[in-house]
Amino acid sequence: MPIVPPAAMAAPLLLATEGFGIDLDILNGNLVNLAILIPVLFWFLKGFLGGILSRRREAILQDLHGAESRLSEATAQLEKAKAELAAARETARTILKDGQARADAIRAEGEQRTIAEMARLQEEAKADTDSEARRISNELLSSTADQAIALALQDLPGALSHQKQTKLLVATIHSLG
């Protein structure tokens, strides 16, 4: 079977339909078809695709502006959070220093109270010892005086005469008052 070029096969079709048709002759028909098709497509797609692309461009720009504003808000919040963190750390350091100073003060106060209490107990013990020593000394003096008076009373009636006893009584009364 012989090979027939495509233009030869299409020629009978063109002759059979006398009106608008597709010319398959590459050199003659395609240039005219392209010259018509490209401006029509350009005009049609310019409005259709241009509108779609314009709306898409606006949507992308809005998304970008939204993302930029969210980024700036997030950056501002991050800076605020960093500042608050720094302030919280400084407050924690201050509280720690104050707590340590208060603990030192409480410890020193407790030591001072302990020392004062020990001194007070020592003073009380010394006062009790001194009081007990005075009491014992007074008892000894009283006991010695009682014994001396008892001995003197035993010896006195025989040692003093009636005149001397009277003189002694008068001198004692004068000395009293």
Side-chain angles (χ1 to χ4, degrees), residues 4-79:
V4 180
M9 290 173 58
L13 287 174
L14 287 176
L15 294 175
T17 61
E18 292 182 10
F20 183 76
I22 298 175
D23 184 12
L24 296 177
D25 185 12
I26 294 174
L27 294 176
N28 288 336
N30 274 343
L31 290 177
V32 173
N33 287 340
L34 288 175
I36 295 171
L37 183 64
I38 289 175
V40 169
L41 283 176
F42 185 73
W43 176 77
F44 177 72
L45 292 178
K46 181 180 177 185
F48 178 71
L49 288 178
I52 291 174
L53 291 175
S54 176
R55 286 190 300 272
R56 182 65 187 146
R57 181 176 179 262
E58 290 299 319
I60 289 171
L61 286 176
Q62 286 178 353
D63 289 346
L64 284 174
H65 289 301
E68 286 175 353
S69 67
R70 287 191 306 272
L71 176 64
S72 64
E73 288 175 13
T75 303
Q77 287 177 353
L78 176 64
E79 292 302 320

Side-chain angles (χ1 to χ4, degrees), residues 110-164:
E111 289 172 357
Q112 289 175 352
R113 277 189 284 165
T114 301
I115 290 170
E117 185 65 21
M118 289 174 62
R120 186 186 65 78
L121 289 174
Q122 286 177 345
E123 289 295 322
E124 285 181 3
K126 184 179 179 199
D128 287 347
T129 304
D130 290 346
S131 172
E132 189 64 23
R134 278 193 300 272
R135 186 188 65 77
I136 291 173
S137 176
N138 286 341
E139 282 183 12
L140 285 175
L141 285 175
S142 176
S143 173
T144 306
D146 286 345
Q147 286 177 356
I149 290 174
L151 284 174
L153 286 177
Q154 285 176 358
D155 291 343
L156 191 62
L160 290 177
S161 65
H162 189 42
Q163 274 182 338
K164 286 184 184 180

